[in-house]
Amino acid sequence: MITAHFFDGHDARLQPVGLDVRNDHLHVDAPGFARSYPLTDVALAEPFEQAPLVLRLGDATCEVPYGPGRQALLAALGYRKSAVERWQARWPAALAALVLLLALLGAGFVWGVPAAAGFIAARLPASVDIKLGRAALAGLEAQGMLAPSRLSDDRIADVEALLPRALPAHPRVPVRLLVRSSDALGANALALPDGTIIVTDKMVRLALDKRNELDDIGQAELLGVIGHEVGHIERRHATRAMTGSSLTAALSATLFGDFSAVAAGLPAVLTQMQYSRAMELEADDYAIDVLRRNGREPDDLADILEALERQHPGEGDVPRWLRRSMAYLSTHPDTAERIERLYKAGP
């Protein structure tokens, strides 16, 4: 007879009982009542070391405290460890399973989610891009990140005149170019999903020569920048990134649930970074084609990227090996790596 705790499934009152196995039945005996269950109706939860055994008896539950009678009861119930239990009891096998699981999760986030995001984004109607772009622009303006350009009308017209030279024969969506002042963005350019390209005043000034003129070289540099942004629009990078981020967040929540908001959010962030790296390089390739189509070389885009780098002199002090390592965790590829890649693509 083995001492156990019995819950009848109707109230939370614990009843001390004795268990005995005979004639293919589990007998539960206590002062005032006795029950008998066929062994075929007894469900044994997976036993853990030094933890109570849990027996499911229909609506009732029986817990057997850890003790000397535990092994005898398991034997009487005909318990045999499953292959999974035997496997997980061996730490090399458990470690191998953990490594495999992490590898599968990593592959899913790095390759599976982007592939799924690309598949889904390709099937979204253009109206989705329009709504996303308008919402993004409204958000930038509402946050005070964009203000009317302080450049002359002639200078703005010079920049706007470059856009047709960067467009494909049949743009996926109508593309427009806005020149805006932005202290928050600095020297920058960005593409919104609806086909809006924003070029900041500081980016334009970066391309001016010593006479404060936009000469042929400066125009070519800005053409490379604009071509890069057109590449983002033509490849639907913003919509793909947003779709991938949403998918990753959904998968993270499914895997981690409420266990940790940080743990659930981290894969989303990391995957988004991976998207940005691949997309930036893809947009660079598009800009290279634009420049060559206009009789220029990738060096023009590399030159203005170098000018951007010189605006942040501290980054040049970072050892090259460290910058390469950090590039894998940055939202953009290492700028020096992009510059080197563009120069290599030159004549």
Side-chain angles (χ1 to χ4, degrees):
M1 186 73 70
I2 300 172
T3 301
H5 299 145
F6 184 82
F7 300 89
D8 63 6
H10 299 289
D11 60 52
R13 187 178 56 175
L14 178 151
Q15 301 182 61
V17 298
L19 301 181
D20 187 21
V21 178
R22 60 182 186 276
N23 300 326
D24 296 328
H25 282 69
L26 175 69
H27 300 277
V28 180
D29 295 300
F33 83 93
R35 296 186 184 181
S36 181
Y37 300 90
L39 293 183
T40 53
D41 293 343
V42 177
L44 174 65
E46 181 181 347
F48 294 96
E49 286 295 331
Q50 301 188 7
L53 291 180
V54 178
L55 307 178
R56 310 288 183 192
L57 310 171
D59 292 338
T61 302
C62 208
E63 290 186 359
V64 183
Y66 184 78
R70 167 194 170 102
Q71 199 58 40
L73 178 61
L74 287 173
L77 292 173
Y79 168 73
R80 297 288 184 277
K81 285 186 177 180
S82 67
V84 173
E85 290 176 83
R86 292 195 300 272
W87 193 32
Q88 67 186 12
R90 300 172 183 168
W91 72 264
L95 181 60
L98 178 61
V99 171
L100 179 60
L101 175 63
L102 293 176
L104 289 174
L105 287 175
F109 280 120
V110 174
W111 293 298
V113 172
F119 179 84
I120 294 172
R123 284 153 182 79
L124 292 175
S127 59
V128 173
D129 294 325
I130 301 299
K131 292 180 180 178
L132 290 174
R134 288 176 179 173
L137 181 60
L140 290 171
E141 292 174 339
Q143 295 174 36
M145 297 181 67
L146 298 178
S149 174
R150 297 171 184 169
L151 301 176
S152 68
D153 292 342
D154 288 343
R155 181 71 68 231
I156 293 174
D158 289 340
V159 178
E160 291 175 339
L162 296 173
L163 178 61
R165 297 166 58 186
L167 294 178
H170 304 285
R172 188 181 60 80
V173 293
V175 181
R176 63 171 179 165
L177 190 148
L178 304 177
V179 182
R180 293 288 186 268
S181 174
S182 175
D183 292 334
L185 296 177
N188 214 328
L190 60 151
L192 303 182
D194 65 338
T196 300
I197 295 174
I198 299 171
V199 179
T200 66
D201 289 357
K202 290 182 179 179
M203 176 60 83
V204 177
R205 291 193 181 100
L206 203 61
L208 300 179
D209 62 15
K210 294 180 180 178
R211 299 172 301 161
N212 208 32
E213 296 292 335
L214 188 62
D215 60 14
D216 289 345
I217 295 176
Q219 289 184 28
E221 291 175 346
L222 284 181
L223 181 62
V225 171
I226 295 170
H228 178 93
E229 301 307 323
V230 172
H232 281 313
I233 293 171
E234 288 297 311
R235 301 292 186 263
R236 299 188 79 178
H237 286 165
T239 304
R240 286 165 53 190
M242 193 169 299
T243 304
S245 180
S246 300
L247 279 176
T248 305
L251 288 174
S252 299
T254 301
L255 289 173
F256 297 104
D258 294 330
F259 175 73
S260 168
V262 175
L266 185 59
V269 174
L270 291 175
T271 304
Q272 177 58 34
M273 290 175 176
Q274 183 64 28
Y275 278 175
S276 297
R277 285 177 51 79
M279 290 173 183
E280 289 296 331
L281 296 180
E282 193 175 26
D284 276 350
D285 290 340
Y286 190 93
I288 291 171
D289 291 339
V290 167
L291 288 167
R292 286 177 171 159
R293 196 169 69 226
N294 285 272
R296 305 295 304 192
E297 293 297 334
D299 301 38
D300 294 314
L301 179 56
D303 289 344
I304 199 166
L305 289 179
E306 279 193 329
L308 278 170
E309 281 278 86
R310 287 194 292 271
Q311 289 193 339
H312 306 281
E315 294 181 3
D317 298 332
V318 180
R320 183 180 178 82
W321 67 269
L322 183 56
R323 280 190 280 114
R324 282 184 175 277
S325 300
M326 291 171 63
Y328 288 98
L329 291 175
S330 65
T331 55
H332 291 72
D334 176 51
T335 306
E337 176 188 333
R338 289 179 60 198
I339 293 170
E340 182 179 351
R341 185 170 177 267
L342 288 166
Y343 280 134
K344 286 182 178 177

